[in-house]
Amino acid sequence: METHPRRTVLAAALGAAAAAATAGAAQAHGDRGAQRFAKRRLKAMSLEEKVGQLFTVYAYGRTADTQEAADVAKNQETHGVNNAAELIAAYKVGGIIYFAWSNNVANPDQITGLSNGLQAASTADGGDPLLIATDQEHGLVVRIGPPATQLPGAMALGATHDPGAARDAAVISGAELRAMGLNVNFAPDADVNVNPANPVIGVRSFGSDAEHVAGFAAAQVEGYQARGDLAATVKHFPGHGDTEDDSHTDLPQIDHTYEEWQEVDAPPFRAAIDAGVGAIMSAHIQFPALDPTLTPATLSKPILTGLLRDELGYEGVIVTDSLAMEGVREGYGDDRIPVLALLAGIDMLLMPVDLDLAYNAVLTAVAEGELTEKRIDESVLRILCLKYRLGLYDDPYADPDAVAEIVGTAANLEAAQAISDRTTTLVTNDGTLPIPTDGGSVLVTGWGETTTNVLTAEFTKRGFSPTRVVTGIAPTQAQIDAAVAAADGKGFIVVSTNGVAANPTQVDLVKALAATGVPVVALGVRNPYDIAYYPDDVNAYLATYSYAADGLESAVAVVLGHRSPEGKLPVDIPRADDPGSVLFGFGHGLSYE
């Protein structure tokens, strides 16, 4: 009998959850053991070693001791060292974070070798193992690409309305990350995306309903942490879901009242804390109702200590979002930010612009009495306890021989596609869908070089001979005219759109295609809100919540009737001309059945 991939991964998830529950019965004992160990270790550390533990930073290179000229030059420019091994030796940092742009994530075997090399460098001469992290949210934010399994992102998972699907995805992703030597994932996103114009969260959120997001965030925490050797991190506290500014480049302000915060923003963080989340990441946002001084949350004692510690009762590690982001640097010097963050209640300082400046600023603050060593000890103790609970003091290494058996396996890829197939949401349909097998030739057009390529390949696999015309994020009149000309004689048109509110000439493209009289099927391949800008101009509209290949494959299968759409909106879609009115509500979704 053939094993159904979803049932296989669900059984694995249930088994892992049962194991986690058994482990939870001994959690109090484990926490006491972690505290005892961490306190002993803390006593043996110098102040400089303690301060080093507070920092998680990046280093360039595919190996810990890289001698590649380009990586060495960048490491010298950034940190004044040749490679990560020298960086660890110089500062005794507590963690390393991986990115593609820092040349850390070429393939699973390389990543595993890098992780093991970093741990060897850090534990040499009795040093502490590292927290090794990345942002593997899936969907829009992915640091480790194929052949590692690519899973649906948060809003796509939210469209299943089944937290079990989110747990399954996290079990797969967590096992693969740990197999490559990572032990912290800066995911999931616990923000409630109540603002369709949010430029930085959007599909990174599970949806616009607080309880919905809470259930999914908790499920992913449980999935990532089911084995006990990887820490999930919910973000961005106290909630980044209602902003029209991007904290990478600006300092957003959230205007919710305290009561609205309790109702809208807090529930996912409460749920994650109840699920035992390993870390919580702060947001670089102003939240006047929570701190009327307008201090960014990352530097706000009323928010981090008053709310997160005292009111929500969180006792674990609090990590900053990147300290290189403008949202926290606006109005503060890079030497002051780490000190103010620690005074506010932060434990882990992520990616300061200048590590040497930040490190010495903390040491100076202790020497001058602005920070006490006791305050440093509180944060280091939490970090050491986390490392202990993850088993890093027993064995920080990944098994190179096991990578191929865990990462990107056929079973994981099949399970990912099975989950993705449940996310595609058919928002509108005048009867055009499903397209019959003899639906004629198809024009694939719209946003995205890779997106249109994938769509073209998927139609080709199913016996069609597509014509492809890429029009980009802001189609010119010439590009629109080319797409219209290519539509002549076609049986139907598939047009992908991405962020039409900010790029309105995409709407011009859709309207021009509609005027040809050829049936138009639109795909919103990022945020699902695009339909609000052309509701009467298309014959059908599907939300895919991302332009990942699995999601696009699912969408084509739905268009052709090879699969009935199962997804339901995890957000309200407001009218473009009247944002106070709902065009399509939370839970809406059409089916062929």
Side-chain angles (χ1 to χ4, degrees):
M1 178 183 295
E2 184 178 357
T3 302
H4 191 287
R6 171 157 169 76
R7 292 178 187 143
T8 300
V9 73
L10 181 56
L14 291 173
T22 301
Q27 182 175 350
H29 173 75
D31 284 347
R32 287 195 296 271
Q35 287 282 333
R36 286 196 297 269
F37 173 87
K39 287 177 180 177
R40 288 197 304 270
R41 176 69 191 118
L42 194 65
K43 288 180 181 178
M45 297 173 75
S46 67
L47 175 62
E48 289 76 12
E49 289 173 323
K50 294 175 187 177
V51 170
Q53 287 295 302
L54 303 174
F55 290 94
T56 291
V57 297
Y58 64 91
Y60 292 90
R62 296 186 179 183
T63 63
D65 58 353
T66 183
Q67 299 300 314
E68 292 293 328
D71 292 325
V72 168
K74 289 177 181 176
N75 283 321
Q76 281 289 345
E77 179 183 0
T78 306
H79 300 304
V81 297
N82 289 328
N83 51 48
E86 291 184 10
L87 178 70
I88 292 165
Y91 295 98
K92 304 295 190 294
V93 294
I96 296 289
I97 182 171
Y98 290 169
F99 294 98
W101 54 257
S102 52
N103 199 24
N104 300 144
V105 291
N107 59 69
D109 289 331
Q110 170 270 319
I111 296 169
T112 305
L114 172 60
S115 299
N116 287 344
L118 291 171
Q119 294 290 14
S122 190
T123 56
D125 302 320
D128 296 276
L130 290 164
L131 295 174
I132 300 180
T134 199
D135 302 270
Q136 193 78 343
E137 296 178 19
H138 294 283
L140 187 63
V141 177
V142 177
R143 307 304 188 203
I144 302 175
T149 304
Q150 306 300 291
L151 290 140
M155 193 171 285
L157 291 170
T160 68
H161 287 256
D162 176 11
R167 186 180 295 108
D168 292 352
V171 167
I172 294 170
S173 182
E176 293 196 3
L177 288 172
R178 194 65 192 91
M180 293 181 283
L182 291 92
N183 48 55
V184 175
N185 191 14
F186 290 142
D189 193 306
D191 300 311
V192 182
N193 199 71
V194 293
N195 188 338
N198 194 322
V200 66
I201 305 301
V203 292
R204 298 171 64 190
S205 165
F206 293 108
S208 62
D209 178 84
E211 293 306 320
H212 179 84
V213 174
F216 277 81
Q220 286 232 294
V221 168
E222 292 166 2
Y224 281 124
Q225 298 187 169
R227 292 161 38 111
D229 55 5
L230 182 135
T233 308
V234 290
K235 54 192 185 184
H236 307 81
F237 190 83
H240 207 320
D242 191 4
T243 174
E244 295 184 12
D245 297 310
D246 185 342
S247 52
H248 292 84
T249 55
D250 296 292
L251 178 55
Q253 181 170 305
I254 307 293
D255 292 322
H256 291 181
T257 65
Y258 171 77
E259 290 74 22
E260 288 172 327
W261 176 78
Q262 286 276 15
E263 181 180 345
V264 175
D265 303 290
F269 293 100
R270 290 184 187 274
I273 292 168
D274 289 344
V277 69
I280 295 179
M281 180 179 286
S282 67
H284 303 326
I285 57 172
Q286 294 173 327
F287 211 128
L290 306 183
D291 185 345
T293 69
L294 300 185
T295 301
T298 295
L299 310 180
S300 169
K301 189 168 185 177
I303 291 175
L304 297 182
T305 299
L307 285 182
L308 185 51
R309 293 280 187 222
D310 298 341
E311 184 168 331
L312 299 189
Y314 180 61
E315 298 178 353
V317 171
I318 306 176
V319 57
T320 70
D321 206 341
S322 169
L323 297 181
M325 292 166 60
E326 290 303 315
V328 74
R329 298 180 74 200
E330 189 173 304
Y332 300 90
D334 291 326
D335 59 333
R336 295 299 299 153
I337 290 170
V339 176
L340 295 173
L342 291 167
L343 288 170
I346 286 291
D347 301 307
M348 187 186 299
L349 300 159
L350 180 63
M351 296 170 60
V353 173
D354 184 332
L355 173 60
D356 189 69
L357 178 69
Y359 172 87
N360 283 294
V362 175
L363 288 174
T364 299
V366 175
E368 295 179 351
E370 184 178 12
L371 280 169
T372 65
E373 189 163 356
K374 179 182 177 182
R375 171 66 193 88
I376 301 297
D377 288 353
E378 291 172 356
S379 288
V380 176
L381 189 67
R382 292 189 188 100
I383 292 167
L384 297 180
C385 281
L386 179 59
K387 292 182 178 184
Y388 180 91
R389 285 193 292 268
L390 295 175
L392 300 181
Y393 285 98
D394 291 331
D395 181 9
Y397 298 104
D399 180 358
D401 295 329
V403 175
E405 300 171 3
I406 298 172
V407 179
T409 63
N412 284 356
L413 296 176
E414 290 171 8
Q417 185 63 58
I419 296 170
S420 180
D421 287 342
R422 301 177 60 200
T423 69
T424 308
T425 306
L426 181 58
V427 180
T428 66
N429 183 24
D430 65 0
T432 296
L433 298 186
I435 296 290
T437 303
D438 59 353
S441 57
V442 55
L443 169 64
V444 174
T445 188
W447 176 84
E449 190 76 35
T450 302
T451 295
T452 51
N453 253 333
V454 171
L455 290 169
T456 299
E458 289 298 327
F459 279 110
T460 301
K461 280 195 323 189
R462 290 164 172 81
F464 287 81
S465 299
T467 298
R468 173 174 166 266
V469 177
V470 183
T471 55
I473 195 72
T476 64
Q477 189 58 53
Q479 289 171 319
I480 292 172
D481 292 343
V484 167
D488 185 44
K490 298 297 187 293
F492 65 104
I493 299 166
V494 172
V495 55
S496 57
T497 64
N498 181 345
V500 300
N503 301 282
T505 57
Q506 290 185 63
V507 178
D508 297 338
L509 168 68
V510 171
K511 290 180 179 294
L513 292 171
T516 66
V518 179
V520 176
V521 178
L523 306 182
V525 297
R526 184 169 169 175
N527 294 337
Y529 310 108
D530 286 3
I531 183 60
Y533 295 85
Y534 49 73
D536 301 319
D537 299 300
V538 296
N539 300 88
Y541 175 81
L542 297 97
T544 67
Y545 309 100
S546 86
Y547 36 82
D550 282 2
L552 297 176
E553 178 179 341
S554 300
V556 171
V558 168
V559 167
L560 299 179
H562 299 169
R563 183 175 301 280
S564 182
E566 297 183 42
K568 307 293 181 184
L569 287 175
V571 295
D572 288 334
I573 297 180
R575 294 182 60 90
D577 57 359
D578 182 11
S581 300
V582 174
L583 181 62
F584 300 102
F586 177 92
H588 169 81
L590 304 177
S591 175
Y592 298 153
E593 298 171 355

